[in-house]
Amino acid sequence: MSVSLPAFVDAWRMVEERRIFEGALLIAGFKRLQSLLADEAGEARYKLEFVRNELGAASLLVEVSASLTLICQRTLEPFVQPVDVKARLGLIAHEREEAALAPEYEPLLVDADGRIDPAAVIEDELVLAVPLVPVSPTSEWPEEGRGAGPMIEPEAESRENPFAVLRELKKH
């Protein structure tokens, strides 16, 4: 087991050695994730386990826990969203291998040299965990937004049908 996370690892060698990486990374270090956040404070605790699954395929088990500060789209106020990710990634060398993965595995395409960036994998999982429309669980709809809204009356049938002229031409 390792506490420090290297910048790049050889995925295939890590699987053969059954390597496990555990530790924490600062949220501020995730550049792509920062654009989704209201604040970059805090850290993400992770565990990466390179294994062979029950079918013998190379896999990466990812666990990430973090508290992300998002902007509530209902109140426009920041709130903290706890995130706990558990993902099973099937390591593949070619896209055509994706069809052979078990349904519970997401594909992770590994470069030809076998190198992957473990921090980028962690960041990918955090980005995927952010809701498309973040809403604080403690927020409520504003009073003017409650209810069904004003009832719109359908227009009267007094308008003339624009195709009535065609109907008349067809009769002749």
Side-chain angles (χ1 to χ4, degrees):
M1 188 159 34
S2 174
V3 173
S4 63
L5 188 65
F8 290 96
V9 297
D10 181 339
W12 309 121
R13 195 176 97 216
M14 296 296 105
V15 169
E16 293 309 315
E17 295 176 5
R18 296 188 51 104
R19 290 293 304 265
I20 298 173
F21 295 94
E22 287 183 284
L25 295 172
L26 294 175
I27 298 292
F30 299 126
K31 300 301 179 205
R32 290 178 290 131
L33 181 63
Q34 285 179 13
S35 66
L36 305 172
L37 303 177
D39 185 5
E40 58 190 48
E43 63 182 20
R45 302 220 35 90
Y46 66 86
K47 179 179 179 183
L48 302 176
E49 188 174 354
F50 291 87
V51 298
R52 291 215 175 265
N53 67 15
E54 55 279 355
L55 299 175
S59 305
L60 174 56
L61 306 178
V62 181
E63 294 181 22
V64 184
S65 296
S67 293
L68 305 178
T69 304
L70 306 173
I71 297 291
C72 175
Q73 296 303 298
R74 187 177 293 156
T75 64
L76 299 180
E77 296 292 327
F79 73 101
V80 176
Q81 173 77 46
V83 173
D84 288 309
V85 175
K86 291 186 180 186
R88 294 174 176 219
L89 306 178
L91 304 177
I92 58 174
H94 304 284
E95 288 182 16
R96 64 180 175 266
E97 297 171 3
E98 181 179 350
L101 290 176
E104 63 271 13
Y105 286 85
E106 292 294 322
L108 178 61
L109 187 61
V110 178
D111 291 338
D113 61 0
R115 288 174 26 139
I116 62 170
D117 177 355
V121 172
I122 293 167
E123 184 176 16
D124 288 346
E125 294 303 323
L126 287 172
V127 167
L128 289 171
V130 173
L132 289 174
V133 180
V135 177
S136 172
T138 61
S139 72
E140 293 186 16
W141 284 102
E143 285 297 321
E144 64 271 6
R146 293 187 183 186
M151 184 66 155
I152 300 174
E153 294 293 325
E155 288 187 31
E157 295 297 325
S158 63
R159 279 192 352 177
E160 195 172 312
N161 184 341
F163 298 104
V165 175
L166 293 175
R167 190 178 313 126
E168 291 300 319
L169 287 175
K170 189 176 177 182
K171 289 182 181 178
H172 295 298

